[in-house]
Amino acid sequence: MKRRAFINLFLGGSLLGTVISFLYPVIRYLIPPRQSEAAAKTIVAAKVGELAPNSARLFRFGSSAAILIHTSDGELRAFSATCTHLTCTVNYEGDTGTLFCPCHNGRFDLAGNVLSGPPPKPLEAYEVELSGGDIYVSRKT
Amino acid sequence: MPLKSSWRGAIRCGRLGLAALVIMSAPLSLSAQKNSCVDCHLGMDDALKAPAEGFNADVHKQFGLSCQDCHGGNPAQDDVELAKDRSFKGSPERAKIPEFCGSCHSNSEYMRRFNPNLRVDQLVLYWTSQHGQLLKKGDTSGAVCTDCHGVHGIQPASFPKSQVFPWNIPQTCGRCHSSADTMKAYGISIKQVDDYKQSVHARALFEKKDLSAPVCNDCHGNHGAAPPEISSIAFVCRQCHPSAGDLFSKSPHKEAFDSLGISECEACHGNHRISPPSDELLAGGKQDVCVQCHEAGTEAHRTGLQIRKQIDDFVSSSEAAKSLLAAAERKGVEVSEAQFKLQDAKTALVLARNLTHGLSLPEIEANLGAGGKVLAEVKVRGEAALSEAKFRRSGLIIATAFIILLAAALYLKIRDLKGSAKHEG
Amino acid sequence: MSKWQEKVEAYLEPRFQLSAIRNFANKKKVPEHRHSFWYFFGGICLFLFIIQVLTGVLLLLYYTPSVDTAHESVQFIMSQVKFGWLIRSVHSWTANILVGVLFIHMFSTFFLKAYRPPRELTWITGFLLLVLFLAFGFSGYLLPWNELSFFATRVGTDIAGVIPFVGKALKTFILGGQEVSDATLTRFFWLHVAVLPAIAILIMGIHIILVQTLGMSKPIGVGETKEISFFPEFILKDALGWLIILAVVGAVCVFLPWEAGPKADPFASTPLGIKPEWYFTFMFTTLKLVPAHIFTIEGEILAVLGFMLGGLLLMLVPFLDRGAAREKRSPIFSAVGLAVVLYIVVMTALTYLAPNIGK
C-alpha cells in the first residue's frame, strides 16, 4: 500500500510540475506585450510640437529608415529616408529646403522627386495624419 | 573657335544643297519611293554592301534622311553614272569627316527641325580636343566622328546599342587607346581601359548597372576630350563627390597640394584604377598614402595614425557587436531590431571615413563617439538576446526534467498496475 | 483521497450517467503482440492534433490575416510576445511531425491490413483525414506570407489548375481570384481556422468512435494473444509515448526555432530551387521528371490524374483486397504498398539530393 501511495504521489507531483512548466509560458504569452502591435502599417513618428518648423527627424518604419519633415510652411511630410541610388540615409537640409544624400550628392525636393545627382527614382512618400496630439505615418495604399 | 570663312561658305552651299535635297527627297522618303543607292549597294559584297545594310538601323533614317542627304547624288536614277550626278560627294576623306558631319550638326537652324534639344557645339568642342588638335596638324590617326559614333547604323547615345552608350564607351575609346600600335607614336599609356575596368566605377556601371557611374567622357569630356589638368582634377571628381571635396578644401592639404602643384584626389586614389577606398589607405595601413609626403614619425603622420586608430577601434567594436548578434541569432533568438540599430553604426562609420579627408581628429572622434553610443546599445540588446537564449535552454531543461519524472512515474504506475492485475487476475 | 473521489462520483453519476461508459472502458481490452507497437500511432496523431489546436488558438490571438500585416504579426510573435517563439515554433514543427506520423499510421494500418471488414469505414475516414491534414498543411503554410510560402502556394495552385475540366475553376476558387493575393490569404485562413477544423473534428469523431467500438484489429494469422486493459494500462502507455514526443518537440523548438523568413514580394521573380513542404515533394519531383508529352496528352495532366487515381484506389483498398477480407494473406497488396512507400521515399530524397533534375 505504501508503495502504491508513493507512486501516486510521485505521479501527481510530477504531473503538477509538468503542467505548471507548460502553463507558465502560456500565461506569459497571453499577457499583452509592451509594444501593443506589430509595427508595419502605421506608426507614431512623433508628437505634435516636438519638431520645430524647417526641421526633420529620422525614425524607423518597418525595417527601414524614414524621415518626418516639418516644412517652413508648417506642413508635415514623411518619406522613406533610403536614397534610391545606393541606399545611404538622406538628411533634411534646412537652408535649401531639400532632402540631401551626402554619399554622392543626390538631392530630392519636398515631394520626393529627384532634383539632381545620381538617384534614379523618387523617394517613396508616406501619408501623414494627426490624431490626438500624435503624428501618424503610414504607407500610401 | 570661329570657323574659317571658306568653311562657312562651304556650309552655306551645303545648307542650300541639303535644303534642296530635303525638299526634293521629302516626297521620296514620305512615299518610300525607290532608292537606287540602297538597291544597288545591297547587291554588292562586303564593304560596299555594309552601308546599305547598316543604314536600316540608323537614327538618321528615322528622321527621314537617306544616302543622298549626306553623300549627294540622285537616288531616283538606276544608272550609276546618272545617279552620281553633280551633287554627288562620295565618301569624305578621313580628315574632312568632322566638317562633313558638322555641316548639319553645327547648324542650329537645320538641327532645330529634327531635334530642337540636340546640341550643335560638337564640332567647336572637337577642335579643342586632343583628337581635333591632331587633325589640325594633319595627323589623321586622331579619332573622328565615325570612330566613336559608327557610320551607317548610328544610334542615339541614349540607346543601349549605341557605341557611345555609357557601358559601351570604355570599349569604344579602348579600340585606339588600348592598342599598342596606335598609341606608340604618341607615347600614351595603353593601360587606362584595363585599369578602369578594375575600378569601383566600372563595377558600379557594369555589375550594378548604375548609369550614373562615370565613364571616360564624364571626366575627360565628350567631343572636347582631353585629360583634365592638374588643377581641374579635383573639380572633376567633385561633380559626384562634393562632401569629400569640401572637407578636403577646408583641410590643410588644400593649400599644400596647390602650392606643390599636386592633383588633389588623384594623388591618393589614382585616376583610372580607382579602387573602393579601404582603411588600408590610411596612415599605417598596407597602402599608406600619407607616407608619399609625410615621413613616419612626423607629427602629421602621427595624427594620421591616431585617426586610423579611432576608425580601427570602431570597426572592431562594430564587428564584435555584429558577431554578438549573429551568435544570438544562431541560438534562435530574434534580433532584427538590434540589427536595424546596427545600421546606424554603419552610417556613422561611412561618415567618419569620409571625414578623414578633412583631417580633423576631433571631428572624427565626435562622430565615432555618437556611433559608439549606438554600438553600446546594440551590445546591450545582443547580450539581452544571449541571456534570453540561456533562459530558453534552462526552461527547456526544467520542463524536460519534469517530463522525465512524469514518464518515470507513469512507467512505475504501469508496472504497478500490471503487477496488481496479475495478483487479481 | 478516495473518500473525496467517492463524493465526486456520487454527485456526477445521476447527472451524467457515465457508468455505461465507465463499464465499457474498464472491460475494454487491447491485444498485445509482436506488432501491437503500431497501435500507438493513431493516438499520437490525436495528441499532435490537440497540440496544433491549442497552439493554433494561441497564435490566433496575435496573428492577423492580411497581406500588409501577416508577416509582421508573425515577426511580432517571434520577437515581442513572451514565449511567442515557442508557441509558433511548436505549431510549425508539430505540423510537420504530424504529417509524418500520419503517413506512418496509414502505412502501418495498411501493411497490417487493419482495413479489412468490419473496419472499412475506419480506413475511409482515416484516408479522408489524411487529405484534410494535407490541406491543413498547404493552407497553413501560406499564412506567414513569406517568400517561400508565397511561391510554394503559387506552384501548388498552378498544379491544381492543370486538372482537366475542373482545374481552372478549382484554382480560381482556391485562390479567391486569378493569382495569389490578399484574397487568397483570407481564404486560406478561413479554411485553416474554421472549415478544415470543423470537418476534421467531425470525421475524427467518427473515426475514433469506430476504433473504440470495433477495438484494435489483429494482423492476419495472429491467433490468441495476450490482452491488456485499455484503461488504465494502454492509456498510460499511450501517455508515456506522448510525453516523449512532447519532450522532443520542446527540444527541437529551443534549438531550431522556426524562422519568419523574408516577406513575400509578389513582383519578385520566383527564387531558384523553390519547392513545397517536404510532404508534397514526392509529387513535385514526379511532375518535374514526367516527360512533357505522353501520347499527345500533356505529361503534367497525366501525372496529376495518376496521383488522384492512386489516391482513389488507396481509399478503396478495403473493397479491392478480397483476400484480406477473407482473412487470407494478400502479398500482392503488400508488395504494391511497399512499392508505393519506396516511391515516396525515393522521390522525396531526390528532391533534396538532386534538386536540378528535370529542369
Side-chain angles (χ1 to χ4, degrees), chain C residues 36-106:
Chain C
S36 59
F37 165 74
W38 297 103
Y39 291 160
F40 291 107
F41 280 90
I44 293 173
C45 291
L46 176 65
F47 177 61
L48 293 174
F49 176 69
I50 292 170
I51 292 181
Q52 286 304 84
V53 170
L54 291 175
T55 52
V57 163
L58 287 172
L59 286 173
L60 262 179
L61 183 55
Y62 295 111
Y63 173 78
T64 49
S66 153
V67 163
D68 290 322
T69 56
H71 187 260
E72 288 77 0
S73 65
V74 171
Q75 188 93 313
F76 179 68
I77 290 170
M78 293 300 288
S79 58
Q80 301 294 333
V81 177
K82 286 274 178 286
F83 292 102
W85 62 272
L86 181 64
I87 305 291
R88 193 252 171 151
S89 298
V90 168
H91 196 81
S92 304
W93 272 113
T94 308
N96 283 277
I97 296 172
L98 174 55
V99 173
V101 176
L102 279 169
F103 274 102
I104 294 174
H105 180 53
M106 178 180 83

Coordinates of all heavy atoms in Angstrom, one line a residue, chain C residues 36-106:
Chain C
S36 N 1.9 -5.0 -32.0 CA 1.0 -4.1 -31.3 C 1.6 -2.7 -31.0 O 0.9 -1.8 -30.7 CB 0.5 -4.7 -30.0 OG 1.5 -5.0 -29.1
F37 N 2.9 -2.6 -31.2 CA 3.6 -1.3 -31.1 C 3.0 -0.3 -32.0 O 2.9 0.9 -31.6 CB 5.1 -1.5 -31.4 CG 5.9 -0.3 -31.6 CD1 6.2 0.6 -30.6 CD2 6.2 0.1 -32.9 CE1 6.9 1.7 -30.8 CE2 6.9 1.3 -33.1 CZ 7.3 2.1 -32.1
W38 N 2.5 -0.7 -33.2 CA 2.0 0.2 -34.1 C 0.6 0.8 -33.7 O 0.2 1.8 -34.2 CB 1.8 -0.5 -35.5 CG 3.1 -0.9 -36.1 CD1 3.6 -2.2 -36.1 CD2 4.1 -0.1 -36.7 NE1 4.8 -2.2 -36.7 CE2 5.2 -0.9 -37.1 CE3 4.2 1.3 -36.9 CZ2 6.3 -0.5 -37.7 CZ3 5.4 1.7 -37.6 CH2 6.4 0.9 -37.9
Y39 N 0.0 0.2 -32.7 CA -1.3 0.7 -32.2 C -1.2 2.1 -31.7 O -2.2 2.8 -31.6 CB -1.9 -0.2 -31.1 CG -2.3 -1.6 -31.6 CD1 -2.5 -2.6 -30.6 CD2 -2.6 -1.8 -32.9 CE1 -2.9 -3.9 -31.0 CE2 -3.0 -3.1 -33.3 CZ -3.2 -4.1 -32.4 OH -3.6 -5.4 -32.7
F40 N 0.0 2.5 -31.2 CA 0.1 3.8 -30.5 C 0.1 5.0 -31.5 O -0.2 6.1 -31.1 CB 1.4 3.8 -29.7 CG 1.4 2.9 -28.5 CD1 2.1 1.8 -28.5 CD2 0.6 3.2 -27.4 CE1 2.1 0.9 -27.4 CE2 0.6 2.4 -26.3 CZ 1.3 1.2 -26.3
F41 N 0.3 4.7 -32.8 CA 0.5 5.8 -33.7 C -0.8 6.6 -33.9 O -0.7 7.8 -34.1 CB 1.1 5.4 -35.0 CG 2.6 5.2 -34.9 CD1 3.1 4.0 -34.5 CD2 3.4 6.3 -35.1 CE1 4.5 3.8 -34.4 CE2 4.8 6.1 -35.0 CZ 5.3 4.9 -34.6
G42 N -1.9 6.0 -33.9 CA -3.2 6.7 -34.0 C -3.3 7.7 -32.9 O -3.6 8.9 -33.1
G43 N -3.0 7.3 -31.7 CA -3.1 8.2 -30.5 C -2.2 9.3 -30.6 O -2.5 10.4 -30.2
I44 N -1.0 9.0 -31.1 CA 0.0 10.1 -31.3 C -0.5 11.2 -32.2 O -0.4 12.4 -32.0 CB 1.4 9.5 -31.7 CG1 2.0 8.6 -30.7 CG2 2.3 10.6 -32.1 CD1 3.2 7.9 -31.1
C45 N -1.2 10.7 -33.3 CA -1.8 11.7 -34.3 C -2.8 12.5 -33.5 O -2.8 13.8 -33.7 CB -2.5 11.0 -35.4 SG -1.4 10.1 -36.5
L46 N -3.6 11.9 -32.7 CA -4.6 12.7 -32.0 C -3.9 13.7 -31.0 O -4.3 14.9 -31.0 CB -5.5 11.7 -31.2 CG -6.5 12.4 -30.3 CD1 -7.6 13.1 -31.1 CD2 -7.2 11.3 -29.4
F47 N -2.9 13.2 -30.3 CA -2.2 14.1 -29.4 C -1.6 15.3 -30.2 O -1.7 16.5 -29.7 CB -1.1 13.3 -28.7 CG -0.2 14.1 -27.8 CD1 -0.8 14.8 -26.7 CD2 1.1 14.2 -28.0 CE1 0.0 15.5 -25.8 CE2 1.9 15.0 -27.2 CZ 1.4 15.6 -26.1
L48 N -0.9 15.0 -31.3 CA -0.3 16.1 -32.0 C -1.4 17.1 -32.6 O -1.2 18.3 -32.6 CB 0.5 15.6 -33.2 CG 1.7 14.8 -32.8 CD1 2.4 14.1 -34.0 CD2 2.7 15.7 -32.0
F49 N -2.6 16.5 -33.0 CA -3.6 17.4 -33.4 C -4.1 18.3 -32.3 O -4.3 19.5 -32.5 CB -4.8 16.6 -33.9 CG -6.0 17.4 -34.3 CD1 -6.0 18.2 -35.4 CD2 -7.2 17.3 -33.5 CE1 -7.1 18.9 -35.8 CE2 -8.3 18.1 -33.9 CZ -8.3 18.9 -35.0
I50 N -4.2 17.8 -31.1 CA -4.6 18.6 -29.9 C -3.6 19.7 -29.7 O -3.9 20.9 -29.5 CB -4.8 17.7 -28.7 CG1 -6.0 16.8 -28.8 CG2 -4.9 18.6 -27.4 CD1 -6.1 15.8 -27.8
I51 N -2.3 19.4 -29.8 CA -1.2 20.4 -29.7 C -1.5 21.5 -30.7 O -1.4 22.7 -30.5 CB 0.2 19.8 -29.8 CG1 0.5 18.9 -28.7 CG2 1.2 20.9 -30.0 CD1 1.9 18.3 -28.7
Q52 N -1.8 21.1 -32.0 CA -2.0 22.0 -33.0 C -3.2 23.0 -32.7 O -3.1 24.2 -32.9 CB -2.2 21.3 -34.4 CG -1.0 20.7 -35.0 CD 0.1 21.7 -35.2 OE1 0.9 22.0 -34.3 NE2 0.2 22.3 -36.3
V53 N -4.2 22.4 -32.2 CA -5.4 23.2 -31.9 C -5.0 24.2 -30.8 O -5.3 25.4 -30.9 CB -6.6 22.3 -31.5 CG1 -7.7 23.2 -30.9 CG2 -7.1 21.5 -32.7
L54 N -4.4 23.7 -29.8 CA -4.0 24.6 -28.6 C -3.1 25.7 -29.1 O -3.3 26.9 -28.8 CB -3.4 23.8 -27.5 CG -4.4 22.9 -26.8 CD1 -3.6 22.0 -25.7 CD2 -5.5 23.6 -26.1
T55 N -2.0 25.4 -29.8 CA -1.1 26.4 -30.2 C -1.7 27.3 -31.3 O -1.5 28.5 -31.3 CB 0.3 25.8 -30.7 OG1 -0.1 24.8 -31.7 CG2 1.1 25.2 -29.6
G56 N -2.5 26.7 -32.1 CA -3.2 27.5 -33.1 C -4.1 28.5 -32.5 O -4.1 29.7 -32.9
V57 N -4.9 28.1 -31.5 CA -5.8 29.1 -30.8 C -4.9 30.2 -30.2 O -5.3 31.4 -30.2 CB -6.6 28.3 -29.7 CG1 -7.2 29.3 -28.7 CG2 -7.7 27.5 -30.4
L58 N -3.8 29.8 -29.6 CA -2.9 30.9 -29.0 C -2.4 31.8 -30.1 O -2.4 33.0 -29.9 CB -1.8 30.2 -28.2 CG -2.2 29.6 -26.9 CD1 -1.0 28.8 -26.3 CD2 -2.6 30.6 -25.9
L59 N -2.0 31.3 -31.2 CA -1.5 32.1 -32.3 C -2.5 33.1 -32.8 O -2.2 34.2 -33.2 CB -0.9 31.3 -33.4 CG 0.4 30.5 -33.2 CD1 0.7 29.6 -34.3 CD2 1.5 31.5 -33.0
L60 N -3.8 32.6 -32.8 CA -4.9 33.4 -33.3 C -5.0 34.8 -32.5 O -5.5 35.7 -33.1 CB -6.2 32.7 -33.1 CG -6.8 32.0 -34.3 CD1 -8.1 31.3 -33.8 CD2 -7.1 32.9 -35.4
L61 N -4.4 34.8 -31.3 CA -4.5 36.0 -30.5 C -3.7 37.1 -31.1 O -4.1 38.3 -31.0 CB -4.0 35.7 -29.1 CG -4.0 36.8 -28.1 CD1 -5.4 37.3 -27.9 CD2 -3.6 36.3 -26.7
Y62 N -2.6 36.8 -31.8 CA -1.7 37.9 -32.3 C -1.6 37.9 -33.8 O -1.1 38.9 -34.3 CB -0.3 37.8 -31.6 CG -0.3 38.0 -30.1 CD1 0.0 36.9 -29.3 CD2 -0.6 39.2 -29.6 CE1 0.0 37.1 -27.9 CE2 -0.6 39.4 -28.2 CZ -0.3 38.3 -27.4 OH -0.3 38.5 -26.0
Y63 N -2.0 36.8 -34.5 CA -1.8 36.8 -35.9 C -3.0 37.6 -36.6 O -4.1 37.5 -36.2 CB -1.8 35.3 -36.4 CG -1.8 35.2 -37.9 CD1 -0.6 35.4 -38.6 CD2 -3.0 34.9 -38.6 CE1 -0.6 35.3 -40.0 CE2 -2.9 34.8 -40.0 CZ -1.7 35.0 -40.7 OH -1.7 34.9 -42.0
T64 N -2.6 38.3 -37.7 CA -3.6 39.0 -38.5 C -3.5 38.6 -39.9 O -2.4 38.7 -40.5 CB -3.5 40.5 -38.4 OG1 -2.1 40.9 -38.7 CG2 -3.9 41.0 -37.1
P65 N -4.6 38.1 -40.6 CA -4.5 37.5 -41.9 C -4.7 38.5 -43.0 O -5.6 38.4 -43.8 CB -5.7 36.5 -41.9 CG -6.7 37.2 -41.0 CD -6.0 37.9 -40.0
S66 N -3.8 39.5 -43.1 CA -3.9 40.5 -44.2 C -2.5 40.7 -44.8 O -1.5 40.6 -44.0 CB -4.4 41.8 -43.6 OG -4.0 42.9 -44.4
V67 N -2.4 40.9 -46.0 CA -1.2 41.0 -46.7 C -0.2 42.0 -46.1 O 1.0 41.8 -46.0 CB -1.4 41.3 -48.2 CG1 -0.1 41.8 -48.9 CG2 -1.8 40.1 -48.9
D68 N -0.8 43.1 -45.6 CA 0.0 44.2 -45.0 C 0.6 43.8 -43.7 O 1.5 44.4 -43.2 CB -0.8 45.5 -44.9 CG -1.1 46.0 -46.2 OD1 -0.2 46.0 -47.1 OD2 -2.2 46.6 -46.4
T69 N -0.1 42.9 -43.0 CA 0.3 42.7 -41.5 C 0.6 41.3 -41.2 O 1.0 41.0 -40.1 CB -0.9 43.2 -40.6 OG1 -2.1 42.4 -41.0 CG2 -1.1 44.7 -40.8
A70 N 0.3 40.3 -42.1 CA 0.5 38.9 -41.7 C 2.0 38.6 -41.3 O 2.2 38.1 -40.2 CB 0.1 38.0 -42.8
H71 N 2.9 39.0 -42.2 CA 4.3 38.7 -41.9 C 4.8 39.4 -40.7 O 5.5 38.9 -39.9 CB 5.1 39.1 -43.2 CG 6.5 38.7 -43.0 ND1 7.5 39.5 -42.7 CD2 7.1 37.5 -43.2 CE1 8.7 38.9 -42.7 NE2 8.5 37.6 -43.0
E72 N 4.3 40.7 -40.6 CA 4.7 41.5 -39.5 C 4.2 40.9 -38.2 O 4.9 40.9 -37.1 CB 4.2 42.9 -39.6 CG 5.0 43.7 -40.7 CD 4.6 43.4 -42.1 OE1 3.7 42.5 -42.3 OE2 5.1 44.0 -43.0
S73 N 3.0 40.4 -38.2 CA 2.4 39.8 -36.9 C 3.2 38.6 -36.5 O 3.4 38.3 -35.4 CB 0.9 39.5 -37.1 OG 0.7 38.5 -38.0
V74 N 3.6 37.8 -37.5 CA 4.4 36.6 -37.2 C 5.8 37.0 -36.6 O 6.3 36.5 -35.6 CB 4.6 35.7 -38.4 CG1 5.6 34.6 -38.1 CG2 3.3 35.1 -38.8
Q75 N 6.4 38.1 -37.2 CA 7.6 38.6 -36.7 C 7.4 39.1 -35.3 O 8.3 38.9 -34.4 CB 8.0 39.8 -37.6 CG 9.4 40.3 -37.4 CD 10.4 39.7 -38.3 OE1 10.5 38.5 -38.4 NE2 11.3 40.5 -38.9
F76 N 6.3 39.8 -35.1 CA 5.9 40.3 -33.7 C 5.8 39.1 -32.7 O 6.4 39.2 -31.6 CB 4.6 41.0 -33.9 CG 4.1 41.6 -32.6 CD1 4.8 42.7 -32.0 CD2 2.9 41.2 -32.0 CE1 4.3 43.3 -30.9 CE2 2.5 41.7 -30.8 CZ 3.1 42.8 -30.3
I77 N 5.2 38.1 -33.1 CA 5.0 36.9 -32.2 C 6.4 36.3 -31.9 O 6.7 36.0 -30.8 CB 4.1 35.8 -32.9 CG1 2.7 36.3 -32.9 CG2 4.2 34.5 -32.1 CD1 1.8 35.4 -33.8
M78 N 7.3 36.3 -32.9 CA 8.6 35.6 -32.7 C 9.5 36.5 -31.8 O 10.3 36.0 -31.1 CB 9.3 35.4 -34.0 CG 8.7 34.4 -34.9 SD 8.6 32.8 -34.2 CE 10.3 32.3 -34.3
S79 N 9.3 37.9 -31.9 CA 10.3 38.7 -31.2 C 9.7 39.4 -30.0 O 10.4 39.6 -29.0 CB 10.9 39.7 -32.1 OG 9.8 40.5 -32.7
Q80 N 8.4 39.8 -30.0 CA 7.9 40.7 -28.9 C 7.1 39.9 -27.9 O 7.1 40.2 -26.7 CB 7.1 41.8 -29.5 CG 7.8 42.7 -30.4 CD 8.9 43.5 -29.8 OE1 8.9 43.8 -28.6 NE2 10.0 43.9 -30.5
V81 N 6.3 39.0 -28.4 CA 5.4 38.3 -27.5 C 6.2 37.3 -26.6 O 7.0 36.5 -27.2 CB 4.3 37.6 -28.2 CG1 3.4 36.8 -27.3 CG2 3.5 38.6 -29.1
K82 N 5.9 37.3 -25.3 CA 6.7 36.4 -24.4 C 6.3 34.9 -24.8 O 5.2 34.6 -24.9 CB 6.3 36.6 -23.0 CG 6.9 37.9 -22.4 CD 8.3 37.6 -21.8 CE 8.9 38.8 -21.3 NZ 9.4 39.7 -22.3
F83 N 7.3 34.1 -25.1 CA 7.2 32.7 -25.5 C 6.5 32.6 -26.8 O 6.1 31.5 -27.2 CB 6.5 31.9 -24.4 CG 7.3 31.7 -23.1 CD1 7.0 32.5 -22.0 CD2 8.3 30.9 -23.1 CE1 7.7 32.4 -20.9 CE2 9.1 30.7 -21.9 CZ 8.8 31.5 -20.8
G84 N 6.3 33.7 -27.5 CA 5.7 33.6 -28.8 C 6.5 32.7 -29.7 O 6.0 31.9 -30.5
W85 N 7.8 32.8 -29.6 CA 8.8 32.0 -30.4 C 8.5 30.5 -30.2 O 8.5 29.7 -31.1 CB 10.2 32.3 -30.1 CG 10.5 32.0 -28.6 CD1 10.4 32.9 -27.6 CD2 11.0 30.8 -28.1 NE1 10.8 32.3 -26.4 CE2 11.2 31.0 -26.7 CE3 11.4 29.6 -28.6 CZ2 11.6 30.0 -25.8 CZ3 11.8 28.5 -27.8 CH2 11.9 28.8 -26.4
L86 N 8.1 30.2 -28.9 CA 7.9 28.8 -28.6 C 6.6 28.3 -29.1 O 6.5 27.2 -29.8 CB 7.9 28.6 -27.0 CG 7.7 27.2 -26.5 CD1 8.8 26.3 -26.9 CD2 7.5 27.2 -25.0
I87 N 5.5 29.1 -28.9 CA 4.2 28.7 -29.4 C 4.2 28.5 -30.9 O 3.7 27.5 -31.5 CB 3.1 29.7 -29.0 CG1 3.1 30.0 -27.5 CG2 1.7 29.3 -29.5 CD1 2.6 28.8 -26.7
R88 N 4.8 29.5 -31.6 CA 4.9 29.4 -33.1 C 5.7 28.3 -33.6 O 5.4 27.6 -34.5 CB 5.3 30.8 -33.6 CG 5.1 30.9 -35.1 CD 6.3 30.8 -35.9 NE 6.1 30.7 -37.3 CZ 6.9 31.1 -38.3 NH1 8.0 31.7 -37.9 NH2 6.6 31.0 -39.5
S89 N 6.9 28.1 -33.0 CA 7.8 27.0 -33.4 C 7.2 25.6 -33.1 O 7.2 24.7 -34.0 CB 9.1 27.1 -32.7 OG 9.8 28.3 -33.0
V90 N 6.5 25.5 -32.0 CA 5.8 24.2 -31.7 C 4.8 24.0 -32.8 O 4.7 22.9 -33.3 CB 5.1 24.3 -30.3 CG1 4.2 23.1 -30.2 CG2 6.2 24.2 -29.2
H91 N 4.0 25.0 -33.2 CA 3.0 24.9 -34.2 C 3.5 24.4 -35.5 O 3.0 23.5 -36.1 CB 2.2 26.2 -34.3 CG 0.9 26.0 -35.0 ND1 -0.3 25.6 -34.4 CD2 0.5 26.3 -36.3 CE1 -1.3 25.6 -35.3 NE2 -0.8 26.0 -36.4
S92 N 4.6 25.1 -35.9 CA 5.2 24.7 -37.2 C 5.9 23.4 -37.2 O 5.7 22.6 -38.1 CB 6.3 25.8 -37.6 OG 5.7 27.1 -37.6
W93 N 6.7 23.1 -36.2 CA 7.3 21.8 -36.1 C 6.3 20.6 -36.0 O 6.4 19.6 -36.6 CB 8.3 21.7 -34.9 CG 9.7 22.2 -35.2 CD1 10.3 23.3 -34.8 CD2 10.6 21.6 -36.1 NE1 11.5 23.4 -35.3 CE2 11.7 22.4 -36.2 CE3 10.6 20.4 -36.9 CZ2 12.9 22.1 -36.9 CZ3 11.7 20.1 -37.7 CH2 12.8 20.9 -37.7
T94 N 5.3 20.8 -35.1 CA 4.3 19.8 -34.9 C 3.6 19.5 -36.1 O 3.2 18.3 -36.4 CB 3.4 20.2 -33.7 OG1 4.1 20.5 -32.6 CG2 2.4 19.0 -33.4
A95 N 3.3 20.5 -36.9 CA 2.6 20.3 -38.2 C 3.3 19.3 -39.1 O 2.8 18.4 -39.6 CB 2.4 21.6 -38.9
N96 N 4.7 19.5 -39.2 CA 5.4 18.6 -40.0 C 5.5 17.2 -39.4 O 5.4 16.2 -40.1 CB 6.9 19.2 -40.1 CG 6.9 20.3 -41.2 OD1 7.0 20.0 -42.3 ND2 6.8 21.5 -40.7
I97 N 5.7 17.2 -38.0 CA 5.8 15.8 -37.4 C 4.5 15.1 -37.6 O 4.4 13.9 -37.8 CB 6.2 16.0 -35.9 CG1 7.6 16.6 -35.8 CG2 6.1 14.7 -35.2 CD1 7.9 17.0 -34.4
L98 N 3.4 15.9 -37.4 CA 2.0 15.3 -37.5 C 1.8 14.6 -38.9 O 1.4 13.5 -39.0 CB 1.0 16.3 -37.3 CG -0.5 15.9 -37.5 CD1 -0.9 14.7 -36.7 CD2 -1.4 17.1 -37.1
V99 N 2.2 15.3 -39.9 CA 2.1 14.7 -41.3 C 2.9 13.5 -41.4 O 2.5 12.4 -41.9 CB 2.4 15.7 -42.4 CG1 2.4 15.1 -43.7 CG2 1.4 16.9 -42.4
G100 N 4.1 13.5 -40.9 CA 5.0 12.3 -40.9 C 4.3 11.1 -40.2 O 4.3 10.0 -40.7
V101 N 3.8 11.4 -39.0 CA 3.2 10.4 -38.2 C 1.9 9.8 -38.8 O 1.6 8.6 -38.8 CB 2.9 10.9 -36.7 CG1 2.2 9.8 -35.9 CG2 4.2 11.2 -36.0
L102 N 1.2 10.8 -39.5 CA 0.0 10.3 -40.2 C 0.4 9.3 -41.3 O -0.3 8.3 -41.5 CB -0.7 11.5 -40.9 CG -1.6 12.4 -40.0 CD1 -2.0 13.6 -40.7 CD2 -2.8 11.6 -39.6
F103 N 1.4 9.6 -42.0 CA 1.9 8.6 -43.0 C 2.3 7.3 -42.4 O 1.9 6.2 -42.9 CB 3.0 9.2 -43.9 CG 2.5 10.0 -45.0 CD1 2.6 11.4 -45.0 CD2 2.0 9.4 -46.2 CE1 2.2 12.2 -46.0 CE2 1.6 10.2 -47.2 CZ 1.7 11.6 -47.2
I104 N 3.0 7.4 -41.3 CA 3.4 6.1 -40.6 C 2.1 5.3 -40.2 O 2.0 4.1 -40.4 CB 4.3 6.4 -39.4 CG1 5.6 7.0 -39.8 CG2 4.5 5.2 -38.6 CD1 6.5 7.5 -38.7
H105 N 1.2 6.1 -39.6 CA -0.1 5.5 -39.1 C -0.8 4.8 -40.3 O -1.3 3.7 -40.2 CB -0.9 6.5 -38.4 CG -2.2 6.1 -37.9 ND1 -2.3 5.0 -37.0 CD2 -3.5 6.5 -38.1 CE1 -3.6 4.8 -36.7 NE2 -4.3 5.7 -37.3
M106 N -0.9 5.5 -41.4 CA -1.6 5.0 -42.5 C -0.9 3.7 -43.1 O -1.6 2.7 -43.3 CB -1.7 6.0 -43.6 CG -2.4 5.5 -44.9 SD -2.5 6.6 -46.2 CE -0.9 6.5 -46.9

